[in-house]
Amino acid sequence: MKPKVFIARPVPKEIEDYIAEYCEVETWSSTETIPRSELLKAVQSVEGLLITGGRIDEELLEHAPHLKIVSNISVGYNNFDLEAMKRRGVIGTHTPYVLDDSVADLVLGLMLSCARRIPELDQYVKQGQWQRGDDEVLFGLDVHHATLGIIGMGRIGEAIAKRARFGFDMDVIYTNRSRKFEAEQALGVRYQPMEDLLKQSDFIVLMTPLTPETTRLIGKEQFSLMKDSAIFINVSRGQNVDEQALIEALASGQIRAAGLDVFENEPVAADSPLLKMPQVVTLPHIGSATAKTRMDMARVAAENLVKGVKGETPPYIVKELS
Ligand code: NAP
């Protein structure tokens, strides 16, 4: 008999077909996020779960006595209650590497958008405000040869550093839990303690995972150390930043601009002050959202799932559970 699995979000047909070769599959096929109550019902008899972002906690595990593996279609796994999963011997997997380049491209896009005010000036043209001789109101900041500070020099951090160093001749500094000597050698990046990085950087990119240690890692104190010309980019997780402190730093001119792919609550509230600020570029959590990368992520997640329910070792078990 094939093991039962539940696919909690729509995936491409060929991915579902691949899983169905090995498993009995049930799928949540609506584009609406599955309600928690439906998810708790759906996991009752399954050995595997394919999901993006739903909380995998004591309550869900209690409802899923046969569960062997939760396969996340994302690299971040802050939705996992790691202790609860460890206690119950449930494997958790994710999809690293295949999205690094797409996410890094988006970070550069946000840096350029903020520095050269691309979305703001797009509106300026479309709203008929373009007059001859008003050059200075259109001025932005250079990205090339500026100093980039990366907080969290992991897989994606390194892909950003590579683009910044070799594409834009930027001076790249970083801070991280551990020193990255190989990246320092290969990419010519320099380690700096957080405080120094915040003071020196023209662009600050936050790229850590969301963990208890990184929650609100950037707040009032950190913004107060940044240059008043600093551009802050967050493509990691919204909860890594004290969003109210960010709003205040932008409103008071303590920093110049921000590029945000992620928010404390998603979707961001329609009345958030961030949406009214022309110097803020906002995106709907699309770091990895290209057709090819999302397909690659779904494929890796499906392979993790199938290996897990077959009792084999999946390639990308999250490090805390391996
Ligand atoms: P990664 O390779 O694990 O890199 C994370 C880096 O952060 C590691 O170098 C890690 O240091 C460092 N770090 C962890 N905790 C830290 C702390 N307390 N202080 C300083 N540094 C710390 O992960 P990744 O693949 O680059 O992805 C990073 C995160 O980006 C994901 O977890 C996810 O939340 C987010 N993301 C968002 C999107 C999007 O669509 N917006 C897409 C992909 C990823 P060590 O090496 O010492 O562990």
Side-chain angles (χ1 to χ4, degrees), residues 259-275:
L260 306 171
D261 186 42
V262 290
F263 299 85
E264 208 162 301
N265 294 302
E266 296 179 3
V268 63
D271 62 355
S272 167
L274 291 168
L275 307 190

Side-chain angles (χ1 to χ4, degrees), residues 74-78 94 96-97 99-100 103 106 151-158 175-180 194 206-211 213-214 217 234-237 240 261-262 285-289 294 297 319:
S74 71
V75 66
Y77 49 90
N78 47 285
H94 65 150
Y97 302 107
L99 42 57
D100 296 351
V103 180
L106 191 83
I151 303 170
M153 185 61 101
R155 290 174 291 258
I156 299 171
E158 286 192 23
T175 196
N176 198 70
R177 188 164 52 181
S178 53
R179 279 285 288 272
K180 300 285 175 163
M194 173 80 103
L206 182 56
M207 217 56 249
T208 57
L210 174 61
T211 67
E213 294 76 42
T214 62
L217 184 65
N234 188 12
V235 180
S236 63
R237 287 289 182 267
N240 286 338
D261 186 42
V262 290
H285 201 143
I286 55 153
S288 63
R294 283 290 169 83
M297 289 165 68
K319 60 176 183 269

Side-chain angles (χ1 to χ4, degrees), residues 102-114 118-120 232-238 243 246 258-269 272 274-290 294:
S102 297
V103 180
D105 285 354
L106 191 83
V107 168
L108 267 296
L110 281 172
M111 287 166 57
L112 288 162
S113 295
C114 292
I118 294 171
E120 182 192 348
F232 176 70
I233 308 290
N234 188 12
V235 180
S236 63
R237 287 289 182 267
E243 201 164 277
L246 170 63
L260 306 171
D261 186 42
V262 290
F263 299 85
E264 208 162 301
N265 294 302
E266 296 179 3
V268 63
S272 167
L274 291 168
L275 307 190
K276 306 233 156 33
M277 296 179 174
Q279 75 275 39
V280 178
V281 179
T282 55
L283 291 174
H285 201 143
I286 55 153
S288 63
T290 68
R294 283 290 169 83

Side-chain angles (χ1 to χ4, degrees), residues 18-39:
Y18 162 76
I19 297 171
E21 275 180 45
Y22 305 96
C23 309
E24 190 184 319
V25 177
E26 253 193 71
T27 305
W28 176 258
S29 45
S30 162
T31 50
E32 298 288 316
T33 304
I34 184 168
R36 180 78 176 171
S37 56
E38 293 293 326
L39 181 63

Side-chain angles (χ1 to χ4, degrees), residues 122-141:
D122 170 64
Q123 286 307 307
Y124 177 89
V125 176
K126 288 177 181 164
Q127 290 169 2
Q129 297 172 53
W130 189 11
Q131 306 293 333
R132 288 202 163 279
D134 58 358
D135 261 13
E136 279 187 26
V137 298
L138 310 178
F139 284 178
L141 296 177

